[in-house]
Amino acid sequence: MENVENVEEDLKQNTYIMYEKRYESCQKKLDKLALVSDRVSLLRGITFVIAGLLLLLGYQQKSPALFVLAAGFGLSFLLLVIYHGKLEEEQACLKDSQSVVKDYMARFDDGWKSFPVDGSRYLRDGFLEARDLDLFGKSSLYQYICTASTIWGQDQLALWLSLPGRGQAPDSALQISQEMKSRQQAVAELAQKPEFCMELEAGARRLRETEYDKSRKMMDNFFQTLKVRNYFPMVYRILIRFFPLLALTFLFSALLGIHRYLTMPLFVFLVFVQLMSAFLGFYWNNKVLSPIYQMNKTITPYRKLFQLLEQESFDSPYLRELQKTLQKNGTASAALKELEEISDAVCARHNIYAFVLYNGLFLHDYYCMERYGKWKDNYRDSLESWVKELGKAEALISLSVICHTRKSHCLPVIVDSRRPILKASNIRHPLIKEPVAVGNDINLTHSACIITGSNMSGKTTFMRSIGINLVLAYAGGFCTASNLQLSLMELCTSIRTEDNVNEGISTFYAELLRIKQMIEVSKKQVPMISLIDEIYKGTNSKDRIFAAKETIRNLSWPYTFTLVTTHDFELCDLENDLGIDAKNYHFTEHYKGNRILFDYKLREGRCTTTNARYLLRMAGILK
């Protein structure tokens, strides 16, 4: 208990208190801004009323001085409106930063289990390891580490956690290993830039306001329209400048009294012609410009995120290449700034008064079409690669989360080897609170490991700890261990097997299908690790022991690791079988009064205790 208390105290001192202070600092700034915002809002209302009163008095008294004074207060009102808008934006940014800090604090407890982004959409029937190891879904690894707010970042993190390199040929394994190491370097560098990471997270936070499916549909629609080239002849480019210029010339001529009887009718006629042109082209123009209108609130956050990535200094090759992609063909942020201006102009046309005024005087819709057409010609081939690079940056930051929330963590050493390697010290389950998580050491030197132990002693949790840390390692992230050395291996699991009534599959048959898959993978003679919990628990003891021995025999090869948990002590005899390279491990318990206590520590050798009778007594079933 003393060690647990020391770990908890260290966490509070080293990290948690830092987040608390940051949270409190954000709150103090928000309180000050709220006070200033209320005062500016009051002052804005007063200046508006005064401007209105002065305008009314000026009209009644025919006083130019009062009109000038009213104009001054009107200008002051507009400046206060702009300033108040900036204050609101600053408050929104601070709230986003505070939200990010709050999420990091939640990861020290169980608060992270209420995070809205849990990756449930990435669960699929063919990836059974995801359910066994709680990679996606409620209370999953994805829910714990995901800091990504864009659909690109969420998808990229899910891809890296889905073991995309499985099933590859040995020649491809080296390339995959190099990719993992490259990502590791990037994650390690980002872990040393917490301020930058949190700023990027906060900048993307408001993108979560749009649901994933809606955001995906909107982005897909936008990218689809980018592929369509809008033909805009040169004569149109000339006319959309000539007609507004001619109309404004007639207007100013009429205001100056130059042939007013002629210039004013001509001005009205040209305004009518331009409005008719806008109405006639409304359907087509709206079809092209509508996706930009839908993207209006999204463009600014993306532009700021690109700007952050472009301005930061990176050393790792992976991040420098990412940055280089954003700076290709100009810069991503500059392109988004231009698109932001076009989007704002498009939004103006959705106000009926602005539509009539802007199109009547300037052929606004056609001007937007021309600007957007030029933008598409310049950046249609770059934008998708830019947002995907942003997604990679978000995913890399997610893989660094464990570094900021766990005292015991490491970047694993991935060894290029055609033989399986797994050596870990103090390896823990990342989804169990660190003060109560127990670390174990393991150095696999045998093909088969038979793990026995009483109920609730920690066998399954230990197996999941290995599997989930392997997934983190292969993704390129930090692991919850003091040290971890491993090679690239196929990961197969049979932990959470379920029956399927609709397909007539029993629990036992479901497990058979899992283990059949493992044996098929082993025939490829590639490095692999299999995690089997409570082997063949769905059948009688005699058949179970026979089937388990034969299964372990078929999975015992120099290029495989097979970890099996069981209550059948007969399987421990495999350690003496010359045809199987097996070793025994176990977990145990001790009793204190009427309590059963576990230390959850892995030990070599076979288990010699059971606790089923004791648990039955505790439950009141036995007397």
Side-chain angles (χ1 to χ4, degrees), residues 31 64 128 134 171 193 294 320 377 395 413 418 453 492 563 603 606:
D31 292 340
L128 300 174
D134 298 310
D171 293 339
K193 297 175 179 286
Q294 295 172 2
R320 292 182 71 176
D377 290 340
V413 177
R418 291 181 180 268
C492 300
L563 279 69
R603 295 172 173 83
R606 61 196 298 169

Side-chain angles (χ1 to χ4, degrees), residues 5 97 421 431 441:
E5 290 173 359
S97 297
I421 296 173
L431 304 185
D441 300 339

Side-chain angles (χ1 to χ4, degrees), residues 8-30 97-109 195 198 404-405:
E8 187 172 14
E9 186 63 27
D10 287 343
L11 281 169
K12 291 288 184 182
Q13 289 178 354
N14 295 338
T15 318
Y16 191 82
I17 288 178
M18 179 196 74
Y19 288 123
E20 280 186 328
K21 289 181 178 179
R22 191 186 294 269
Y23 186 89
E24 291 169 1
S25 175
C26 287
Q27 189 58 52
K28 288 178 181 178
K29 292 177 182 177
L30 279 170
S97 297
Q98 194 178 46
S99 174
V100 170
V101 175
K102 187 178 180 181
D103 282 357
Y104 274 96
M105 293 168 65
R107 291 184 177 98
F108 286 84
D109 208 330
E195 296 288 339
M198 295 182 77
H404 303 301
T405 59

